[in-house]
Amino acid sequence: MSRLEELKKSSKLISEAYSFAKKAHSNQRRFSGRPYFTHLIETAEYLANWGMDEQTVAAGLLHDVVEDTNITSDEIEKNFGKDIRTLVDGVTKLGQVKYLGDKTQAENLRKLILAMAKDLRVILIKLADRRHNMKTLAYMPPDKQKRIAIETMEIYAPLAYRLGMQKLSGELQDLSFPYVSPEEYKWLIEHIKEQYEDRESYLKKLKPIVEKSIKEHGISLVSIDFRAKRYTSLYKKLLMYDMDIDKIYDLVAFRIIVNDIEECYATLGVIHSLWTPIPGRFKDYIAMPKPNGYRSLHTTILGPDKRIIEFQMRTTAMHERAENGIAAHWIYKERGGKKRSRLANEREIKWLEQLRSWQKAGADSQEFIDAFKIDFLSDRILALTPKGEVIDLPYGSTPVDFAYRIHTDIGNQCIGAKVNGKIVSLDHKLNSSDVVEILTQKNKKPSASWLEFVVTPSAKDHIRNALKTNIYNRLVVHSKNQVELKIIAEDKVGLLKDISGIISRSHVNIVGIKSSQQKRGSFHIIKVNCEINNKKKILKIILKLKSLKEIKEIDYRFV
Ligand code: MN
């Protein structure tokens, strides 16, 4: 019986989520022609096998309900509670983030995904979802195949790796490889099959020798296996070695699992006494784990017939951690063995230190889950351009900081901004995942008042420079009065652009545009501040503005 089947029997939550999702998707099919619900079973099954808690497994079953059926988040909450709703909403939200193939954006996008998820369990659901989608990618239309595969290669596989889920990360890469680089994949398949088989049969001959020797030294061997290098990492390595497959010593490696750390080192001693180690090839990832938490001993020796072999030694706990990463923690938690959870805390990893109170999280499960809520990005904001590009800014940044981060000219010519479709003031504080659109006006100069609210040093420098470069301009600015035009208009897409167009064609500098949120009837109130001290000119502009049929009323005052 599968783990999911077991959970369905023991957990009311999971069995209810199962029936609910089955019913909700009953009329839908996958591109493969199979019932849509099979995708949810697979997703939940992965989560169950990673040992995730019942809420995560239930949310895995429900993760596409809001996106793909008529069921709302409210209904999810009513039936399954707030937690499940948050998880499902989180996955739905992540579905909106798309990687457009700009490599310079990849790291920002990975960060944004971490920040958006708020709860790491959302990412685990998304990863399980993506794994099944990759396995069934062959049925997708070709144009989608490539985009999804590239996104998986550049965003989700590295995310899985960062969460310590090496196995999943490798799987995702290998599933993407044929779509991302079809030619290279074909080449690899044609050239390595023989070598793989040859290496494996060579190692198989050595296995009894290794096994016997380990046991003779009183080491309790848990397992001894071969690990074949994954296609993607093999290909990357080949690129560094002139595509010479004979130089890849770890094409197939021994993987030895023992009971504790002492036995790892003892096994290393046994291997080194059997064959000569190759200098410089021993790596102690137990004493010095990789940044993603990976722990193992690696060594390379010169075996019989002068062939080179790599060995990897680790404990069961390290192995589980290397395969399942962060998800493994739920397993430790569930089994509750004292020795195991102590081990889990012992081998802390760097990125997790950024997460608050991971170390303390051991006591009760709520506290533990809270520790996984992501807040290590609280000093950074990742905002988006309307095209989905990610802009990384310090906390407290405003649309002006955002504008200067895109381009100096955009910053200098900024007259207003929309955040998530709504007009905001230029000193508005941005939040992560805000979509920010900057309204500009040609030949506009920045205002000295911006210096009071911008937070990025580069925005400050650009503003000062722009003010300095034209001393005449600065004097003029000071001698001028500002006028606030109060415009009452019907809402229309592009109206603000029309208004700013008319004003700039009259060679008048716009200092800012605000659109008040409260409506007067079905009308909007728009306030435009511009630099004019000439009453005639004001009236001229008002006349021109009134030619826009949406504009019902215009008032002005000096400010
Ligand atoms: Mn899905």
Side-chain angles (χ1 to χ4, degrees), residues 153-423:
M153 187 73 103
E154 300 290 338
I155 306 296
Y156 288 102
L159 264 181
Y161 184 83
R162 196 174 299 180
L163 297 177
M165 307 172 86
Q166 304 214 117
K167 190 177 164 197
L168 176 65
S169 175
E171 271 175 350
L172 289 175
Q173 288 186 27
D174 275 3
L175 289 165
S176 312
F177 191 27
Y179 298 95
V180 175
S181 316
E183 298 286 316
E184 291 84 345
Y185 179 75
K186 223 179 109 199
W187 182 91
L188 196 67
I189 295 299
E190 280 167 11
H191 287 79
I192 55 161
K193 200 171 170 277
E194 238 172 79
Q195 271 90 345
Y196 262 124
E197 283 164 2
D198 173 53
R199 291 287 298 180
E200 206 167 291
S201 67
Y202 172 67
L203 293 194
K204 265 183 191 148
K205 273 186 250 156
L206 297 186
K207 190 176 161 180
I209 304 170
V210 180
E211 214 170 343
K212 190 169 158 250
S213 197
I214 289 175
K215 282 181 180 160
E216 273 171 11
H217 285 79
I219 297 163
S220 48
L221 185 65
V222 176
S223 72
I224 172 162
D225 251 315
F226 312 121
R227 169 306 250 133
K229 198 167 183 65
R230 289 191 173 277
Y231 288 164
T232 322
S233 59
L234 172 60
Y235 192 78
K236 279 184 198 153
K237 208 162 185 178
L238 277 169
L239 287 175
M240 295 192 293
Y241 292 94
D242 304 321
M243 305 313 270
D244 183 353
I245 207 135
D246 293 332
K247 289 191 182 135
I248 312 293
Y249 305 138
D250 62 344
L251 184 64
V252 183
F254 268 114
R255 179 173 287 160
I256 299 169
I257 296 173
V258 291
N259 262 332
D260 54 37
I261 290 177
E262 289 74 24
E263 287 184 341
C264 290
Y265 288 103
T267 307
L268 176 79
V270 171
I271 306 294
H272 283 184
S273 68
L274 280 173
W275 296 291
T276 315
I278 293 177
R281 301 274 312 191
F282 167 61
K283 292 185 189 90
D284 187 345
Y285 294 122
I286 291 180
M288 281 166 293
K290 285 190 185 180
N292 74 346
Y294 177 79
R295 297 181 84 195
S296 263
L297 298 178
H298 290 191
T299 191
T300 307
I301 58 103
L302 197 61
D305 307 326
K306 300 244 179 304
R307 292 186 69 168
I308 291 166
I309 322 164
E310 183 176 302
F311 282 85
Q312 304 178 351
M313 279 122 317
R314 55 175 76 155
T315 65
T316 311
M318 287 173 196
H319 181 61
E320 244 168 83
R321 188 59 174 71
E323 300 276 291
N324 290 331
I326 194 128
H329 198 89
W330 270 271
I331 304 173
Y332 293 112
K333 195 64 202 166
E334 200 174 288
R335 294 180 188 162
K338 252 190 187 160
K339 195 180 172 194
R340 285 174 157 264
S341 48
R342 189 174 55 79
L343 270 173
N345 280 335
E346 220 173 69
R347 53 196 156 75
E348 249 1 290
I349 48 179
K350 274 198 183 115
W351 76 265
L352 269 179
E353 284 161 12
Q354 295 175 293
L355 289 173
R356 188 170 37 106
S357 65
W358 147 275
Q359 296 274 10
K360 290 174 218 148
D364 74 278
S365 119
Q366 189 52 46
E367 199 185 313
F368 172 68
I369 285 164
D370 284 346
F372 277 84
K373 300 265 163 72
I374 297 160
D375 67 348
F376 63 90
L377 278 168
S378 58
D379 59 336
R380 301 298 291 176
I381 289 161
L382 297 165
L384 295 156
T385 67
K387 283 186 186 157
E389 218 181 328
V390 183
I391 306 293
D392 181 2
L393 294 162
Y395 181 77
S397 286
T398 65
V400 176
D401 295 292
F402 181 94
Y404 276 109
R405 188 54 64 83
I406 298 174
H407 196 276
T408 312
D409 289 342
I410 309 257
N412 284 339
Q413 297 173 4
C414 167
I415 51 165
K418 279 186 182 176
V419 170
N420 304 323
K422 283 181 193 147
I423 296 267

